[in-house]
Amino acid sequence: MELENLRHGTELIKRGFAKMQKGGVIMDVTNADQARIAEEAGAVAVMALQAVPADIRKAGGVARMADPVIVSEIVETVTIPVMGKARIGHFVEAEILEALGVDMVDESEVLTPADNKYHIDKTQFTVPFVCGARNLGEALRRINEGAAMIRTKGEAGTGDVSEAVKHMKKIMGEVRELAGKNKEELMMVAREIEAPIELLMETAEMQRLPVVNFAAGGIATPADAALMMRLGSDGVFVGSGIFKAENPEQMASAIVEAVNNYDNPEVLAEVSKGIGAGMKGQSVDSIPEEQILQTRGW
Amino acid sequence: MLIGVIAIQGDVSEHVHAIDNALAQRGENADIVEIKHSGIVPECDAIVLPGGESTTLGRLLLKEGISEEIKQAAAAGIPVMGTCAGLILLAQRGDSQVAKTHQHLLGLMNTQVNRNAFGRQRDSFETDLELPFLDSSYRAVFIRAPAIIDYGQDVEILSKIDDRVVAARQGNVLALAFHPELTDDLRVHQYFLDMVKGN
């Protein structure tokens, strides 16, 4: 086998990787021990970061990419894929994460943006990217920049699922509205939502986003996770919800089982029993506007 | 005819579409069912284990009671195809990673697997592969792919990359390290449908 005949980092490989995560739970972890717990519980991947969103919120200051020492430890510890968060527009943080062997980069609004105008040109990377979105236009702009996966933004670190619900319903609704529109009508929609027309036409044709779409931001219980699956997400990201829960091991397993049985209320009832209290959380309404994370990204 | 696709996690809909399209090419009809719970596998004439995360898949197959049903179906001669994570689950023996994570394996093939034989996602690749049942090369997509690193005499080797086996068959069980469901080339799914038809 000639190594130069192997093609790396193609769109097919990047989007294909995201497809392998479908129906799964991706968990935020801040060290190797937490990563091991997530893997044991059945997570399909872990997201390596310095602090979970609830703590980032509490700590204030500038939130950056995780310490490479910690990222490397996590990469060494688990056999499931490892993702890492880079600041919006911070392509050097993304390059460092890629060099560390991270399997996917999350260009995340949870960290403090490094660029207030541009996102990373994700086509320049071998590893795939996941980006947040609150509506169809935002999702298609990110895909146009090379994102292989979209996640709804929700409002991270709150344990309040309402924003995740809002964003998922918004995107699913906007996709449904495209059905039956002709090309000139789609061109008008593309202008209105600031999305590339080719991707919008592809979305209208497929009746779904052209890449995998996960739910994120505020998912704190098995029921929350199942709710997001019922609304049409391909899987879920859980951040503070696990390691801010009373019993992270049990909460992690219960959320994995809830995603697998999202359409079965009897199983959901069983898995929700005896798992201890969820994270305390705070309602989105109680957060001052300048501390809202979801509005980051353009 | 009923074809079951294990739908616990991974790229399930891609396999369903590929099988659907492959059947249409043949002008044949069959029902395709997504399997999330026990009780369905025994009704199926063929089983597909899709790509996904093998640790997660193995754990939930066991928990849902599907694992034992697949073993019985395979023993009864029902054709089983595993792609990527599926190739790992079909094996009898794993590597140190499999041991470390207490991974559950179905053990349907006399093979030993290396879970990330080609490296991490940045090492994932596409390449042209020669397969003995096809008359021209096949564009194969490998994503954090595993490989068979040791096997018994009863295992028929279909394709290798260097010394790593990426396609193999043992009787009614077919294991592929790549993802035929991610491309429009349906020839590998056609080969599996031939197995199902007993050809």
Side-chain angles (χ1 to χ4, degrees):
Chain A
M1 180 61 58
E2 301 287 326
L3 277 173
E4 56 267 30
N5 291 341
L6 305 182
R7 292 185 65 213
H8 298 279
T10 62
E11 206 59 45
L12 188 61
I13 292 169
K14 291 179 180 178
R15 290 187 183 188
F17 170 79
K19 286 177 179 173
M20 298 311 144
Q21 313 295 308
K22 283 199 295 182
V25 182
I26 299 169
M27 302 181 191
D28 278 359
V29 297
T30 58
N31 57 51
D33 286 338
Q34 290 183 351
R36 205 174 287 120
I37 290 170
E39 182 172 60
E40 285 282 323
V44 288
V46 291
M47 177 72 72
L49 72 172
Q50 200 89 49
V52 295
D55 288 334
I56 291 175
R57 212 173 253 297
K58 225 180 279 171
V62 173
R64 310 181 181 94
M65 173 188 79
D67 182 338
V69 171
I70 304 282
V71 176
S72 290
E73 274 174 17
I74 294 169
V75 166
E76 293 298 315
T77 300
V78 292
T79 64
I80 54 177
V82 177
M83 304 183 177
K85 282 187 193 290
R87 282 178 267 178
I88 290 174
H90 207 316
F91 56 86
V92 172
E93 280 190 349
E95 286 171 358
I96 291 170
L97 289 169
E98 182 171 63
L100 289 169
V102 158
D103 298 295
M104 182 176 242
V105 175
D106 184 354
E107 187 179 17
S108 177
E109 69 284 355
V110 171
L111 306 184
T112 312
D115 190 322
N116 289 319
K117 197 167 175 191
Y118 300 103
H119 282 250
I120 298 171
D121 176 5
K122 294 164 271 285
T123 61
Q124 300 303 308
F125 287 77
T126 304
V127 291
F129 275 69
V130 53
C131 288
R134 288 171 300 164
N135 54 53
L136 183 58
E138 197 173 11
L140 296 181
R141 287 195 293 280
R142 296 295 86 79
I143 296 168
N144 193 46
E145 292 157 3
M149 182 181 193
I150 293 295
R151 55 170 173 72
T152 53
K153 286 181 168 177
E155 187 58 30
T158 59
D160 179 349
V161 79
S162 63
E163 292 296 294
V165 168
K166 185 160 103 188
H167 301 157
M168 186 57 71
K169 283 196 162 169
K170 172 91 174 145
I171 291 174
M172 300 303 277
E174 285 178 302
V175 170
R176 279 193 299 271
E177 277 174 25
L178 300 178
K181 281 192 162 52
N182 65 21
K183 191 176 175 187
E184 61 199 48
E185 289 166 333
L186 288 174
M187 284 169 81
M188 187 59 77
V189 175
R191 271 177 59 183
E192 283 164 8
I193 67 171
E194 298 178 56
I197 179 65
E198 296 76 17
L199 283 173
L200 191 75
M201 284 167 63
E202 193 182 345
T203 306
E205 167 92 23
M206 292 170 73
Q207 270 297 292
R208 62 154 292 145
L209 284 184
V211 302
V212 167
N213 183 23
F214 270 43
I219 296 162
T221 67
D224 287 350
L227 173 65
M228 297 315 299
M229 295 301 288
R230 286 286 287 276
L231 295 179
S233 56
D234 292 315
V236 299
F237 282 88
V238 186
S240 320
I242 288 172
F243 292 100
K244 290 288 164 194
E246 190 182 352
N247 188 331
E249 286 92 344
Q250 286 184 20
M251 183 59 82
S253 298
I255 289 178
V256 169
E257 277 188 63
V259 167
N260 191 41
N261 291 284
Y262 67 88
D263 49 358
N264 188 336
E266 280 162 24
V267 175
L268 292 173
E270 279 309 308
V271 304
S272 302
K273 283 179 187 167
I275 51 173
M279 68 181 284
K280 182 165 178 284
Q282 70 185 123
S283 78
V284 171
D285 297 341
S286 68
I287 299 171
E289 204 180 318
E290 67 274 13
Q291 288 173 26
I292 292 287
L293 303 176
Q294 58 176 277
T295 48
R296 296 166 167 180
W298 8 95
Chain B
M1 191 163 74
L2 185 63
I3 300 172
V5 179
I6 302 298
I8 284 182
Q9 191 271 315
D11 67 335
V12 178
S13 60
E14 287 72 13
H15 266 293
V16 172
H17 288 145
I19 297 165
D20 216 19
N21 292 337
L23 284 163
Q25 269 183 357
R26 303 163 82 94
E28 290 174 10
N29 281 315
D31 292 316
I32 306 170
V33 60
E34 296 190 6
I35 301 169
K36 291 181 76 173
H37 308 291
S38 60
I40 308 167
V41 169
E43 306 297 317
C44 293
D45 303 296
I47 299 291
V48 175
L49 282 159
E53 282 312 314
S54 61
T55 323
T56 314
L57 273 163
R59 181 180 171 280
L60 291 169
L61 279 176
L62 193 62
K63 195 149 195 155
E64 294 291 335
I66 300 171
S67 189
E68 201 50 45
E69 291 182 345
I70 298 173
K71 286 184 199 176
Q72 283 174 13
I78 297 293
V80 180
M81 173 169 76
T83 61
C84 195
L87 171 138
I88 299 170
L89 293 167
L90 291 173
Q92 275 174 6
R93 306 176 296 282
D95 53 12
S96 57
Q97 287 188 338
V98 170
K100 192 170 82 176
T101 54
H102 317 293
Q103 172 144 25
H104 175 68
L105 300 175
L106 295 169
L108 299 181
M109 288 180 88
N110 186 5
T111 53
Q112 180 176 357
V113 291
N114 178 353
R115 277 188 40 178
N116 289 117
F118 300 95
R120 306 192 65 87
Q121 174 60 16
R122 64 182 175 197
D123 309 304
S124 293
F125 60 93
E126 288 179 36
T127 192
D128 291 325
L129 215 57
E130 299 302 324
L131 291 163
F133 50 86
L134 300 180
D135 49 16
S136 60
S137 66
Y138 183 87
R139 191 73 176 171
V141 185
F142 291 79
I143 296 175
R144 282 174 51 97
I148 296 169
I149 48 171
D150 194 22
Y151 49 88
Q153 284 186 340
D154 38 358
V155 178
E156 181 191 354
I157 303 309
L158 301 175
S159 194
K160 279 185 177 185
I161 293 181
D162 299 332
D163 54 349
R164 288 162 283 196
V165 175
V166 295
R169 179 175 171 177
Q170 185 178 346
N172 54 321
V173 183
L174 177 67
L176 310 165
F178 54 92
H179 292 278
E181 73 283 8
L182 291 182
T183 62
D184 295 329
D185 189 341
L186 299 170
R187 290 179 295 164
V188 170
H189 279 88
Q190 293 293 7
Y191 174 71
F192 181 62
L193 288 176
D194 287 343
M195 281 172 63
V196 179
K197 300 286 261 183
N199 299 329

